[in-house]
Amino acid sequence: MNAHASGDSAHAISRPELPDDPADLFVVLYDLLPDEHFQGQEAIEWVHDPAVRVRADQVCTSVLKAGRVTAELAAEIAAEIQVPGGRATFAVLTGLDWALGSVNPFSPCYDEPTMAWLARRYIQYNRLNNPRGATAGLLLPRCTRPGKVLAEWTGKPDFFNVHRVTPDNCRRIRLGRIPDRNDPAFSGGKPISVGAVPMLEKYTELEFAQEKKNGAMRYRITPSTARLQDRVGQVIRNLGESEAVIGVLPESTLSEPLLERWDDLRGELPEDSALQWILLGTGPVGDSDPKPNRAVLVDCLTGRAVLQQDKMAGFTLTADLAAQWRLPLTTHNGLAVEDITRGLHVTVLESSLGRIAVLICEDIKQSVGWAAKLQALGVSHIFVPLFAAPITREWAAWERQAAQHCVEEFGAWVVLVNSLAIGAEMRTAAPDTDSEDDTGRMDNAFNCVVVGPRTRKPVKYGDYDTQFCRADSAAGVSRVVFRNRTKLDAPGDGDRPTLPTVERGWASW
């Protein structure tokens, strides 16, 4: 909608068309206010206008007192938005935005009794606007802001503490919620520990298959049930004895038999374990032919799968990469195609941690199809299982670059988790290439990296919080070796190195 069309629609609106639902009214007015007001200094001047703030406070107070937009307030707003220029509409939107903060669980002013009905709607339908109302798309509470350097807000979404998600940005997004009984009820202010386990040590723990079909070589990588079923129990015990709240495994570590094994052994978690969720890696799980490469996130208490995500971007293997990684696979005309049924949707879940998603390896690199959607939704945490070469600290390869992009554009915490298998084949521990630590692994090779915003208002480019982590075995839990440029001190007797952490989502005011 262009500026003229927006203006014409705004002037044409009549008093009865204004909903008394504050979330629906926000959507109506937000969509009517042209983006052009936010491209220069005009909206910034509105923010600093005392009259705008006074009117916003009046709107907010009225809505919070009544729990709705009263008929009197609706009449006032209907008259105000007829005034050309957009300032009055912006003032009303700001007041509605403040009032909606009372139903944002990531807001410091959460839980206003008069707005409890709207909080219940959000929990039931995963949106603030009425799913049966006249507004299309979504209105969601904010739980993150882009982590890029900004001296002042530069786009319309920046000015508000809700996310307006258009119908176009809802396409191929499955928005859901982790049920309360499966949600650990994360609280603000305390870092949340992540237990990243490599699971795979070498290629003998994998089964490689390939065939030429339809003119292309196709390959499949499946974890060996016989070699990994005992390791499942070791991993459960190690995670349970750590302080990890969320466990994450890499790509190519899951199959249907192993999924059953996880469920059978879940009861071996210690009673005092902090572990709440485990992302069981990815693998051929499903009914299609070929099977998808599917990630499964389970609740540790009930064993319920609370999130499933199919890999969307199949990885094309090249002859030189197969040689570099020493994969027991061949290519046809130099290429081999991942033999999977690719996913069409990104699953995004509301939770007390934030708005979470899983992207599988190549998915986070091939981001054109989903990046704008996840930014519009305000995704705050992304878990990324990898099957890749070891992550290095000296330079940011594709996976760290992609994670940093998510931090800048969404403000998301990104957890990258890799296995040890490719690194073992590439002999990253060769003593003539770098100094070794006492595990025989390279100081510059890591199987887990967590990237997030170091501050909520960055003033330097590239200012990310980056935790470089390493596990001492395939069943071990990865510990932080470097945090940014600082190498952590070796632990004393009886102490264990720290686990990587993420922070809960937050709403900015």
Side-chain angles (χ1 to χ4, degrees), residues 303-336:
R304 174 178 176 177
V306 294
L307 184 152
Q308 297 187 53
Q309 176 65 53
D310 292 348
K311 189 175 185 180
M312 298 176 293
F315 181 66
T316 297
L317 182 68
T318 62
D320 60 339
L321 192 60
Q324 180 185 351
W325 288 1
R326 303 185 182 183
L327 289 166
L329 294 170
T330 59
T331 61
H332 173 66
N333 293 330
L335 302 174

Side-chain angles (χ1 to χ4, degrees), residues 47-229:
V47 170
H48 295 285
D49 184 346
V52 168
R53 298 190 68 84
V54 167
R55 182 54 180 153
D57 185 65
Q58 292 170 348
V59 171
C60 176
T61 300
S62 175
V63 171
L64 291 181
K65 181 179 180 180
R68 298 272 182 176
V69 179
T70 65
E72 292 79 9
L73 179 60
E76 294 172 3
I77 293 172
E80 290 169 343
I81 63 176
Q82 307 301 321
V83 178
R87 185 185 301 261
T89 303
F90 178 82
V92 173
L93 277 170
T94 302
L96 292 171
D97 185 50
W98 293 351
L100 293 171
S102 65
V103 292
N104 184 338
F106 305 98
S107 166
C109 62
Y110 180 59
D111 196 18
E112 181 70 30
T114 60
M115 303 290 279
W117 66 273
L118 190 53
R120 287 193 297 271
R121 175 197 287 169
Y122 169 54
I123 293 171
Q124 184 175 1
Y125 296 106
N126 308 314
R127 65 181 69 191
L128 295 173
N129 56 319
N130 188 344
R132 301 185 183 92
T135 57
L138 305 171
L139 188 68
L140 300 175
R142 181 179 290 279
C143 61
T144 184
R145 278 191 178 275
K148 55 192 172 186
V149 177
L150 289 175
E152 61 185 21
W153 293 331
T154 59
K156 187 177 177 182
D158 297 340
F159 286 76
F160 303 101
N161 287 299
V162 287
H163 292 281
R164 170 62 177 129
V165 189
T166 65
D168 282 346
N169 280 327
C170 293
R171 290 186 67 250
R172 295 191 173 175
I173 296 291
R174 288 195 178 114
L175 180 64
R177 174 177 296 274
I178 292 184
D180 287 345
R181 65 183 179 276
N182 305 122
D183 194 324
F186 297 104
S187 58
K190 183 179 179 181
I192 297 147
S193 298
V194 176
V197 179
M199 194 64 179
L200 301 173
E201 189 168 22
K202 47 194 174 183
Y203 288 167
T204 54
E205 297 161 351
L206 293 167
E207 297 173 358
F208 297 87
Q210 60 185 115
E211 63 176 332
K212 187 178 177 183
K213 187 176 181 181
N214 296 327
M217 186 64 74
R218 302 177 186 276
Y219 72 91
R220 293 175 297 281
I221 303 176
T222 305
S224 170
T225 301
R227 291 183 175 272
L228 294 182
Q229 60 181 354

